[in-house]
Amino acid sequence: MNISTYTVKPKLPPALKPLEEIAGNLWLSWNYDAVQLFIRLDYDAWMQSQQSPVRTLGMANPARLAQVAKDDSYLAALKEVYDRFLRYKKGDTWYRGSRKEVVAYFSMEYGMDVSLPIYSGGLGILSGDHMKTSSDMGLPLVGIGLLYRQGYFTQVLNADGFQQESYPENDWYNMPVERKIGKDGQPLKITVDLAGRQAVAQIWEVKVGRSSLFLLDTNIEENEADIRNVTSALYGGDKETRIRQEVLLGIGGIRALRALGINPAATHMNEGHAAFLGLERIREIMTEKGFSFEEAYEAVWPTNIFTTHTPVPAGNERFDVALLEKYFKTWPQILGISWKDFLALGREHSNDDRENFCMTVLALKFAAYANGVARLHGVVSREMWKDLWPGLPLDEVPIRHVTNGVHPRTWISGGMVDLLDRYFGPHFLDQPTDLKIWNRMDRISDEELWRTHERRRERLVAFARDRIREQYRRTGAVERRMRQAEDALSPYALTLCFARRFATYKRGNLLLRDPERLLRLIRDNDRPVQLIFAGKAHPHDLPGKELIREIIHFAEKYDVTSRIVFIENYDMTVARYLTSGGDVWLNTPRRPMEASGTSGMKAAMNGVLNCSILDGWWDEAYDPELGWAIGQGEQYNDDTLQDDIESKALYDILERDLVPLFYQRGRDSLPREWIKRMKTCMSTIGQSMSSHRMLTDYSNNYYFPALKNYRRIIKDEYAESKSLAAYFSRLKGAWDGIKIERLNCNSKPVMQRGDSLAVTAYIDLGPLHPEDLLVELYYGSVSNQGSEIRNAHRAEMKHTGVDGTNNIYQIRVECLDTGMQGHTVRILPKHPALVHPYRTGFIKWA
């Protein structure tokens, strides 16, 4: 069938033209008064459009548009919002440096707004908040991702409570995306090789305030059906679909930026999905400069940043060798390396021919800067990937952490933002990086804060009732059940919310382990407790689906469906109601399997107290004034024992502390102690877990150093990179010949604190020179077994002369710590161009 296509755009009265520009920029997703303009414009169209501003403009009744165009009240509100939008785009920002070179941020998914469903969960929501915050701060950052035809699935529950999935098609011409057009007037396109076939992708732009997100799309007529399906669904298909998507994201993403005229001076890989970008960046330099692989690698490595989100080995993407060979068999020739060396780029153990190719390993080997997403996750990540740096002490493995954050104005409810704006002043909006503004929480009266929170709980209950009614109607429930939906939940009862991906390790059923204790809490007429659950299980995760079904059946079995409810199709809309309307945010993962988590941060900024296992972000943020900790950070080998112990601990918290505190009211019916904790929670978490703190950390620790590295590297035709490659070539040839011949020191069996320890090392450097190596004294407290130095100190030893074939290094340090102490000497690479000296295979101990 030959179909001629064209695009139809809404026809707006001149007075309403600014609405088109506002609808096309996701700035409105964190400015509630901008959203209100579309709700006021045509409420019915807004609801039918599933809260899409672009689609609302197309669906609005022309007569209604004409009427609104003459409404002075509406036009005044539109002018106020539009003026602020223009001021935002042109205003001063935290970053005021050069914008010639940019950081390119790569992620497989982006949770920007419910109107752009190309996200599945936490990773995407984080990416969305990252982009919004970069806009607020004026950072030279662009986003790269894929434009999925179906996005993630829509969840529905059947009458038995079993999850089923549907995959609605996205209509890009009614969404806030715009296809990029080249100088020839045609859509801008790039190509990537997929197993010997050329896949063509067009580029779309999403405007995010001052920033831009570019998305690649293969669903075009130039491609055959299977290639068109590369961007058909997020996390859909088999392993072959995944490797195609990751080739498109990593390699195609770099090519898209080049086609757009954007120079990705530094790249940030958000998870390992985009790690192939390192290959493309190296290929570019080799082609342009005639460099060897090693020279190009040294030019790219200092400008790559990698963030890992996965605390379990099984969660890291791996491809078998046969599949990798199918898609990359020509790449060793392109890069001038052997097939074995190519595979080694993605292997923890380079010589293990049985090991699959891991995208996380590839990202770690390509990036000078690597981090986990919480303090505890940094520890877990160093333990997981320590084999990449054999011989290096665990605390020196070059994976740090930047704890995740959330974008406050996206996640704090409209009513609460109005309250904060009123008491914090215009500085709260105009200077989002000034986090000390949160110290003004004490200015807000208890009465106003509590009433604002109660309105949010009322809104949550009304929303939940609507959703439950719709669920019952769809499954053909009897009239009695429909009436129950009208009475589900109470706007006055203590409300606990549990909402996240339903995977078994997150233990959504932990609270159901002792029905008698739970029912006693729920059926207490004087101090009632109610539970709201939400979350999707992966389509192939049957145990996760069974958890959802267990909750539904529990409520029905004990006839508490009005106090335990499950809201289906967890998305950003549901999340906003839950994180702002609940009283307590419940989180029960098995430590340490939660990398960070961010939903509890969103809840906390709304004054919702957390009750959580000490895992992820809560492990470092917990304080008794902010909420409750389940357990004390213990880790178990027996899952059943752990579930029993921690479920009992949770019941104890609820019965003895949490519920009594909530219902402890004075004459004015206010829970003063609870409100005090709300204020402390909002003030503390608003500062420590803001995405503006997170982006400040990324900028100062990674982005700015990486951009500085780039500017230094490109000087003199990459002379520094060539020098570094030559250095490592020399080092590799001479490394095995380096010998620490002997150590001398003045230590006695018993030293006094403050005594001076002098150490001399005699080292045979072979053909190397003293300036080629970093020789360190490594000293500190010795373990009881005498086999490990703990809380180590490191100090560079000074080259003081030559004794025959040996070079002499000396140092003198003061004995500051008491107890059993010890020291040794080690050798690491040393070159002025190294970001850090920890390179695989290059460490030698005495």
Side-chain angles (χ1 to χ4, degrees):
M1 185 185 297
N2 185 14
I3 301 177
S4 299
T5 62
Y6 45 88
T7 304
V8 177
K9 291 194 172 184
K11 185 177 182 181
L12 297 177
L16 301 183
K17 276 290 181 184
L19 284 173
E20 217 162 25
E21 188 178 349
I22 294 170
N25 192 310
L26 287 179
W27 172 85
L28 66 80
S29 68
W30 70 92
N31 286 273
Y32 187 66
D33 52 353
V35 175
Q36 283 284 93
L37 292 174
F38 296 88
I39 297 174
R40 285 180 64 185
L41 184 70
D42 190 326
Y43 181 76
D44 291 338
W46 172 254
M47 296 307 294
Q48 290 169 24
S49 74
Q50 298 179 311
Q51 303 175 44
S52 168
V54 175
R55 192 177 286 121
T56 297
L57 293 181
M59 296 173 64
N61 187 306
R64 173 62 181 161
L65 293 177
Q67 179 186 7
V68 170
K70 298 175 183 176
D71 183 337
D72 58 350
S73 171
Y74 185 91
L75 293 179
L78 173 58
K79 183 179 186 305
E80 184 180 342
V81 170
Y82 188 57
D83 286 349
R84 198 170 81 245
F85 173 58
L86 295 179
R87 285 198 305 274
Y88 174 87
K89 290 208 297 182
K90 297 174 182 175
D92 290 338
T93 60
W94 176 80
Y95 176 78
R96 298 183 181 181
S98 168
R99 307 189 65 83
K100 281 174 57 180
E101 296 99 13
V102 305
V103 177
Y105 178 80
F106 286 70
S107 185
M108 194 65 117
E109 52 174 300
Y110 289 87
M112 311 291 299
D113 186 61
V114 70
S115 66
L116 188 63
I118 55 170
Y119 63 94
S120 71
L123 181 73
I125 300 299
L126 176 76
S127 302
D129 282 6
H130 202 106
M131 291 300 304
K132 294 172 185 179
T133 310
S134 77
S135 167
D136 286 346
M137 296 171 68
L139 292 173
L141 183 141
V142 297
I144 294 288
L146 304 182
L147 189 69
Y148 302 101
R149 195 171 75 239
Q150 294 179 329
Y152 206 48
F153 68 88
T154 297
Q155 177 197 51
V156 293
L157 303 181
N158 66 16
D160 189 44
F162 190 77
Q163 173 184 294
Q164 297 174 316
E165 301 85 28
S166 63
Y167 295 85
E169 296 271 328
N170 288 323
D171 175 10
W172 303 125
Y173 297 93
N174 276 311
M175 290 186 176
V177 295
E178 181 182 345
R179 191 162 48 175
K180 298 303 291 181
I181 304 299
K183 293 178 180 178
D184 58 0
Q186 297 300 311
L188 205 57
K189 296 173 183 176
I190 57 97
T191 61
V192 293
D193 179 272
L194 294 179
R197 300 161 66 199
Q198 290 299 302
V200 183
Q202 59 185 355
I203 307 168
W204 298 74
E205 181 181 10
V206 180
K207 293 184 174 69
V208 189
R210 303 179 179 97
S211 300
S212 288
L213 166 64
F214 299 104
L215 303 171
L216 299 176
D217 168 27
T218 61
N219 184 31
I220 52 179
E221 59 186 17
E222 288 98 320
N223 294 320
E224 296 177 34
D226 63 324
I227 301 296
R228 294 184 72 156
N229 284 335
V230 169
T231 55
S232 65
L234 171 61
Y235 303 140
D238 54 14
K239 278 287 186 182
E240 187 150 17
T241 302
R242 287 298 289 271
I243 198 169
R244 288 176 168 185
Q245 289 182 334
E246 293 179 10
V247 168
L248 180 63
L249 177 64
I251 296 174
I254 294 293
R255 293 179 185 178
L257 291 170
R258 297 295 182 201
L260 291 160
I262 296 171
N263 175 28
T267 54
H268 182 178
M269 298 168 275
N270 191 42
E271 256 307 359
H273 307 125
F276 291 136
L277 68 81
L279 299 174
E280 176 64 8
R281 295 189 72 198
I282 288 172
R283 184 202 64 79
E284 282 186 335
I285 294 174
M286 290 179 68
T287 302
E288 292 170 11
K289 304 295 180 184
F291 281 10
S292 67
F293 172 82
E294 290 77 14
E295 290 169 336
Y297 175 87
E298 299 300 347
V300 167
W301 180 75
T303 64
N304 276 343
I305 302 128
F306 169 56
T307 298
T308 176
H309 292 260
T310 311
V312 290
N316 292 273
E317 190 82 68
R318 285 178 167 85
F319 297 115
D320 64 54
V321 174
L323 186 60
L324 198 77
E325 185 174 14
K326 180 177 178 180
Y327 283 87
F328 286 91
K329 63 183 177 183
T330 62
W331 274 83
Q333 184 178 353
I334 293 170
L335 300 176
I337 60 177
S338 69
W339 177 244
K340 184 179 179 66
D341 286 344
F342 183 85
L343 290 176
L345 293 171
R347 284 175 167 167
E348 289 180 76
H349 307 96
S350 300
N351 294 317
D352 185 355
D353 292 335
R354 297 168 300 175
E355 187 179 333
N356 285 340
F357 190 93
C358 178
M359 296 298 285
T360 303
V361 172
L362 181 65
L364 286 168
K365 288 187 176 181
F366 275 155
Y369 305 98
N371 69 282
V373 289
R375 184 176 61 196
L376 178 61
H377 184 232
V379 174
V380 171
S381 298
R382 288 190 287 276
E383 177 66 40
M384 276 180 65
W385 303 111
K386 63 185 178 184
D387 286 355
L388 288 174
W389 294 273
L392 192 64
L394 192 61
D395 65 339
E396 289 184 82
V397 168
I399 303 174
R400 303 295 99 198
H401 79 273
V402 175
T403 302
N404 284 344
V406 298
H407 188 252
R409 285 188 174 267
T410 293
W411 295 106
I412 300 175
S413 70
M416 190 65 78
V417 164
D418 288 344
L419 181 66
L420 298 179
D421 279 339
R422 201 157 69 244
Y423 283 93
F424 289 5
H427 200 58
F428 184 48
L429 173 66
D430 299 334
Q431 301 290 333
T433 54
D434 183 6
L435 301 175
K436 291 181 180 177
I437 198 80
W438 283 94
N439 290 329
R440 296 183 179 181
M441 277 303 303
D442 286 341
R443 296 184 178 186
I444 302 174
S445 70
D446 289 357
E447 290 81 2
E448 279 192 282
L449 182 61
W450 186 246
R451 185 59 197 132
T452 301
H453 177 66
E454 284 192 313
R455 281 196 295 269
R456 296 311 309 163
R457 195 190 312 116
E458 290 163 5
R459 292 281 301 274
L460 168 60
V461 169
F463 172 78
R465 287 173 176 173
D466 284 345
R467 284 296 186 97
I468 297 164
R469 201 160 38 237
E470 181 56 36
Q471 288 171 215
Y472 284 165
R473 185 180 297 114
R474 197 194 64 254
T475 55
V478 297
E479 184 62 30
R480 180 180 63 84
R481 294 295 298 274
M482 295 295 291
R483 285 197 300 273
Q484 282 181 339
E486 301 289 340
D487 194 37
L489 304 174
S490 163
Y492 311 109
L494 171 60
T495 304
L496 276 59
C497 295
F498 180 99
R500 55 200 18 89
R501 182 166 59 89
F502 264 75
T504 51
Y505 80 87
K506 292 179 183 282
R507 299 188 296 179
N509 60 346
L510 189 67
L511 204 51
L512 310 184
R513 288 185 72 82
D514 189 336
E516 185 179 334
R517 292 182 79 174
L518 178 58
L519 292 171
R520 196 158 55 235
L521 288 165
I522 288 172
R523 290 171 173 165
D524 187 330
N525 290 327
D526 295 324
R527 301 189 305 186
V529 175
Q530 58 193 12
L531 300 171
I532 302 178
F533 292 89
K536 298 177 179 180
H538 188 278
H540 303 307
D541 183 5
L542 293 179
K545 291 183 177 183
E546 191 56 38
L547 284 181
I548 296 173
R549 190 168 168 272
E550 183 183 346
I551 292 167
I552 304 291
H553 281 226
F554 182 96
E556 292 176 348
K557 177 182 177 180
Y558 294 103
D559 194 25
V560 287
T561 53
S562 65
R563 289 292 175 262
I564 299 179
V565 303
F566 190 99
I567 299 176
E568 64 184 12
N569 201 36
Y570 184 44
D571 63 4
M572 290 183 75
T573 297
V574 177
R576 283 193 177 104
Y577 277 100
L578 292 176
T579 55
S580 65
D583 297 300
V584 176
W585 196 258
L586 192 60
N587 186 32
T588 54
R590 283 199 178 91
R591 176 185 165 111
M593 297 179 73
E594 182 98 310
S596 173
T598 56
S599 56
M601 301 174 188
K602 299 161 193 164
M605 287 189 193
N606 279 286
V608 178
L609 303 184
N610 276 261
C611 180
S612 174
I613 298 291
L614 288 171
D615 197 9
W617 76 281
W618 191 238
D619 177 70
E620 65 195 81
Y622 167 69
D623 182 278
E625 294 303 309
L626 309 181
W628 293 267
I630 304 168
Q632 296 178 326
E634 305 91 347
Q635 291 173 214
Y636 300 80
N637 294 321
D638 184 331
D639 289 350
T640 302
L641 176 65
Q642 180 178 5
D643 292 351
D644 284 340
I645 292 172
E646 292 180 342
S647 64
K648 288 174 183 174
L650 175 54
Y651 292 127
D652 287 345
I653 289 169
L654 291 169
E655 292 167 349
R656 298 175 186 176
D657 188 6
L658 198 156
V659 175
L661 186 70
F662 181 82
Y663 285 106
Q664 181 183 316
R665 309 292 171 101
R667 291 182 180 177
D668 53 9
S669 297
L670 291 178
R672 296 281 182 180
E673 284 301 312
W674 188 279
I675 296 169
K676 181 181 176 183
R677 290 198 191 190
M678 286 176 64
K679 288 183 174 180
T680 304
C681 181
M682 293 174 73
S683 175
T684 303
I685 302 305
Q687 294 179 70
S688 64
M689 297 300 160
S690 163
S691 56
H692 298 90
R693 185 274 310 154
M694 177 182 76
L695 260 291
T696 301
D697 288 349
Y698 273 116
S699 297
N700 291 332
N701 297 329
Y702 302 139
Y703 292 168
F704 297 162
L707 291 172
K708 184 178 179 182
N709 293 343
Y710 172 81
R711 289 189 287 269
R712 191 183 68 247
I713 287 167
I714 61 173
K715 288 181 180 177
D716 304 321
E717 288 295 296
Y718 293 84
E720 183 181 274
S721 302
K722 295 173 78 171
S723 168
L724 193 54
Y727 165 74
F728 272 112
S729 178
R730 282 193 302 116
L731 200 62
K732 190 174 182 181
W735 191 256
D736 290 342
I738 300 172
K739 293 182 176 63
I740 302 174
E741 298 287 4
R742 70 180 191 274
L743 301 180
N744 291 340
C745 73
N746 68 338
S747 64
K748 296 175 288 190
V750 178
M751 304 278 285
Q752 299 295 317
R753 187 175 186 180
D755 284 353
S756 182
L757 177 72
V759 179
T760 303
Y762 296 84
I763 303 175
D764 183 353
L765 301 183
L768 297 174
H769 304 290
E771 61 268 21
D772 291 332
L773 298 170
L774 173 64
V775 179
E776 290 184 327
L777 182 71
Y778 188 86
Y779 63 104
S781 301
V782 177
S783 64
N784 290 334
Q785 291 81 13
S787 59
E788 181 185 356
I789 295 177
R790 296 174 176 169
N791 302 318
H793 304 284
R794 298 171 289 277
E796 184 174 358
M797 301 181 74
K798 185 178 180 182
H799 183 265
T800 59
V802 177
D803 179 12
T805 60
N806 291 329
N807 283 264
I808 303 171
Y809 289 82
Q810 293 182 314
I811 192 169
R812 185 178 293 273
V813 294
E814 189 177 354
C815 296
L816 296 175
D817 299 322
T818 58
M820 178 70 76
Q821 301 293 304
H823 66 267
T824 187
V825 170
R826 69 180 187 181
I827 302 173
L828 292 163
K830 184 179 183 181
H831 190 283
L834 274 175
V835 174
H836 59 71
Y838 307 123
R839 295 289 282 262
T840 298
F842 293 107
I843 185 169
K844 191 175 288 280
W845 294 89

